[in-house]
Amino acid sequence: SSGRKRVKTQDDSVGGLASKLDSSEKDEVTSDVNERLFSITKSLISLKEKGTGRKLSEIFSEKPCPTTYPDYYQLIEKPIGMNDILRKCRTKLYSSVTEFLDDWNTLFKNCVTYNGEGTWITIDAGVLKAELNRLIIKANPVMRHFRCRLGFVCSLRQRTGARARPHSVRIG
């Protein structure tokens, strides 16, 4: 036994999902959670544009080359690429889901900071963000409350005109 306190909630059986952890432990990265984070990352890396089949993640795979883009490193405080996130998942370096989502948020923020709003690369980043949000929600209700940490759910809905849901509303 891991010593974790399990709390029975109304939606324990919805979709066959396991019991939720006590709220103080929701951010912990267990082996199961790490596998989900790794799977989510691989899914994002393989995401292709509908119609063209172009891999959206290609430009985000590695940090930009410092020789080719020296201005990037003057402008961006914490460069990160998708392969950095994948490596951290593979080597189990994430100690919390928040840390995982913070890395994704940094990647997306860096994109907007360097490229500006409305550019094709920023639009691709927006598609990747939306897919990350969908995968986090799908992965497990325990992880759903982290979607707000991505900092794009409400702003994405504002730009697209979709109705924003209160963060306490249960999805699923």
Side-chain angles (χ1 to χ4, degrees), residues 4-5 7 9 20-30 33 95-98 140-146:
R4 274 190 222 105
K5 180 180 175 186
V7 177
T9 59
K20 292 183 179 182
L21 297 176
D22 178 78
S23 63
S24 64
E25 297 175 351
K26 284 183 179 178
D27 202 27
E28 179 185 353
V29 176
T30 62
V33 170
S95 58
S96 70
V97 175
T98 299
N140 191 331
V142 172
M143 293 169 60
R144 287 181 185 174
H145 71 287
F146 291 107

Side-chain angles (χ1 to χ4, degrees), residues 6-20 140-142 144 170-172:
R6 296 209 176 258
V7 177
K8 184 112 176 116
T9 59
Q10 287 181 320
D11 62 344
D12 281 345
S13 63
V14 175
L17 297 166
S19 298
K20 292 183 179 182
N140 191 331
V142 172
R144 287 181 185 174
R170 214 176 275 155
I171 301 170

Side-chain angles (χ1 to χ4, degrees), residues 64-128:
C65 171
T67 306
T68 308
Y69 300 99
D71 59 328
Y72 183 88
Y73 291 87
Q74 293 168 354
L75 191 59
I76 301 301
E77 187 178 315
K78 186 184 172 198
I80 190 164
M82 286 180 142
N83 285 337
D84 297 320
I85 297 169
L86 186 66
R87 277 188 282 276
K88 286 175 84 172
C89 288
R90 190 176 280 134
T91 57
K92 300 179 180 177
L93 291 177
Y94 286 113
S95 58
S96 70
V97 175
T98 299
E99 185 183 344
F100 171 79
L101 293 177
D102 285 348
D103 276 354
W104 281 107
N105 210 25
T106 297
L107 184 137
F108 298 133
K109 182 177 151 238
N110 290 351
C111 176
V112 173
T113 300
Y114 187 74
N115 299 287
E117 289 282 347
T119 60
W120 70 268
I121 191 169
T122 305
I123 292 167
D124 284 356
V127 173
L128 289 164

